[in-house]
Amino acid sequence: MKPVCYFYGILFLVSGLWAQNISTHVEPDSGYIGDAFTVTYSITLPDQARIEPPRFEESIPDLRLLSQSSDTRFDEGQYTRIFTLQVTAFDTGYQIIPAVPFKIQQEGDKSFKTISSDSMRIRILSAIPKVQSPPEVYEPLPVPLFTLRQKIILALLLVLLILAVICIFHRRRTRIPEGIKGNSLVAPFDEAEQSFQTLEEREYLEKGEWKTFYLELTTILKRYIERTFYLHITDLPTAELIPVLKKEIPDMWTEPMSDLIRYSDLVKFARLESSIEQGRQDLKQAREWCKMVERTQNSLTLSEETKKSS
């Protein structure tokens, strides 16, 4: 009996060691102010284990987070989650990328275990490599007087330059609102809600454009899931998409949402004729699911902040 217990104890210990180490890497290890640095976190887990990534913008407050993405690689009995960040720094000297906590839940466990990555150091150089001595100053050469013809030509060139500057300023001014709207940092749920409203206002259903409607509907859903859960799913076909969502967000993803994705594929690729009632029902279902996810995420965040404060 004891050898059997020892065997299972060793097996449990080995399975628990899958996620004890987080492979970290930063490239390059030095650069100038404003340069982009690529930070990579790689975690290998058993097939049934779950990982909850942190909010990276809160974990590395001393650096500016430019972008983030994640990828999943499957192997026999295990899979690897890779998180890639683009960061930059605006202070010179050695900057520390702090340890980042990840929450791991093994199969059969009810609670998450927190493990942290290694901290990394990068060196930020000054934009001026060394102090240069000022150049020698010479007496200015006398400026020759312009002729009347030269003055007229210069005046015309000056007028043309002023007109060109005015035109450029006017064009840029008319484009500022659109640029600000495209580059502003909008929360994932707010962005999804705006996209749902725009989709409804385009009246694809009333025009019978079923394929276009479901193309935009599934694009909005994938965009919201990617930004909320840091999953790279845009290019995944439905046969791979649904298993990934069931595995990564089992508490959020529902079977009616899987049916909605499959039905959308029939409309988009099999030329299935839909209806106005069905389209409105699917749009409402997608909206309600995003609202449910947002409420759940907010509740988890509030619970964590309450635990920290207590």
Side-chain angles (χ1 to χ4, degrees):
M1 185 64 181
K2 290 184 177 180
V4 175
C5 295
Y6 291 152
F7 171 76
Y8 282 105
I10 294 174
L11 180 62
F12 177 78
L13 179 61
V14 171
S15 64
L17 292 176
W18 281 103
Q20 294 301 315
N21 294 322
I22 302 177
S23 176
T24 57
H25 181 68
V26 60
E27 185 178 353
D29 58 0
S30 65
Y32 293 99
I33 294 176
D35 287 352
F37 296 85
T38 302
V39 183
T40 305
Y41 301 95
S42 178
I43 310 174
T44 300
L45 301 168
D47 187 55
Q48 300 302 324
R50 289 182 56 201
I51 178 171
E52 183 176 320
R55 293 186 180 273
F56 292 103
E57 61 270 16
E58 298 176 359
S59 301
I60 50 175
D62 294 335
L63 301 175
R64 174 71 62 83
L65 180 61
L66 302 177
S67 65
Q68 60 186 21
S69 63
S70 68
D71 192 12
T72 305
R73 300 178 183 176
F74 293 93
D75 200 356
E76 296 182 359
Q78 64 184 28
Y79 70 102
T80 301
R81 286 293 303 274
I82 302 174
F83 299 91
T84 304
L85 311 180
Q86 292 283 336
V87 301
T88 187
F90 297 100
D91 291 330
T92 58
Y94 286 101
Q95 302 293 324
I96 300 298
I97 301 176
V100 176
F102 292 81
K103 293 184 178 180
I104 308 297
Q105 185 181 42
Q106 300 285 357
E107 182 182 8
D109 293 344
K110 295 182 179 180
S111 60
F112 284 85
K113 177 182 179 182
T114 301
I115 61 174
S116 298
S117 65
D118 295 331
S119 60
M120 294 172 285
R121 186 175 71 170
I122 57 176
R123 185 184 180 189
I124 308 300
L125 306 174
S126 173
I128 303 177
K130 61 181 181 179
V131 178
Q132 299 178 354
S133 59
E136 296 183 3
V137 179
Y138 299 95
E139 291 292 333
L141 296 176
V143 179
L145 296 176
F146 293 105
T147 62
L148 179 60
R149 181 180 179 181
Q150 292 174 334
K151 291 181 180 180
I152 294 175
I153 293 175
L154 289 175
L156 291 175
L157 292 175
L158 181 60
V159 171
L160 292 176
L161 179 61
I162 294 174
L163 292 176
V165 171
I166 293 175
C167 291
I168 294 174
F169 178 77
H170 178 70
R171 293 182 60 183
R172 291 191 62 182
R173 184 178 180 183
T174 56
R175 294 181 180 180
I176 283 177
E178 181 180 355
I180 293 176
K181 181 179 179 181
N183 296 328
S184 60
L185 185 60
V186 181
F189 177 75
D190 295 336
E191 181 186 55
E193 186 62 28
Q194 293 174 7
S195 300
F196 284 137
Q197 183 65 30
T198 302
L199 176 59
E200 187 176 13
E201 292 173 354
R202 288 175 178 170
E203 298 183 349
Y204 291 132
L205 297 176
E206 288 74 6
K207 300 175 185 177
E209 299 179 6
W210 320 117
K211 180 177 179 180
T212 304
F213 173 81
Y214 281 98
L215 276 171
E216 293 195 12
L217 179 63
T218 51
T219 299
I220 296 170
L221 277 174
K222 290 182 178 180
R223 169 71 174 171
Y224 174 72
I225 294 171
E226 283 193 340
R227 293 196 60 197
T228 303
F229 300 103
Y230 309 112
L231 297 175
H232 184 64
I233 60 173
T234 300
D235 301 326
L236 291 181
T238 300
E240 299 179 12
L241 171 65
I242 294 177
V244 169
L245 295 177
K246 288 182 177 180
K247 182 180 184 61
E248 296 297 335
I249 51 174
D251 298 335
M252 303 290 183
W253 191 250
T254 62
E255 192 60 31
M257 290 300 295
S258 298
D259 295 337
L260 172 59
I261 297 297
R262 296 189 188 101
Y263 181 79
S264 299
D265 278 0
L266 293 177
V267 177
K268 293 186 291 186
F269 306 116
R271 298 182 180 179
L272 177 68
E273 290 291 329
S274 184
S275 65
I276 296 178
E277 293 76 12
Q278 182 65 40
R280 289 175 177 173
Q281 180 180 348
D282 291 338
L283 176 60
K284 180 180 179 181
Q285 178 180 340
R287 270 179 161 170
E288 293 298 327
W289 183 82
C290 291
K291 291 179 181 178
M292 181 272 295
V293 171
E294 191 68 14
R295 289 194 299 267
T296 305
Q297 292 291 94
N298 291 336
S299 298
L300 291 175
T301 302
L302 180 60
S303 177
E304 291 179 359
E305 291 178 354
T306 303
K307 290 181 180 179
K308 291 179 180 179
S309 61
S310 60

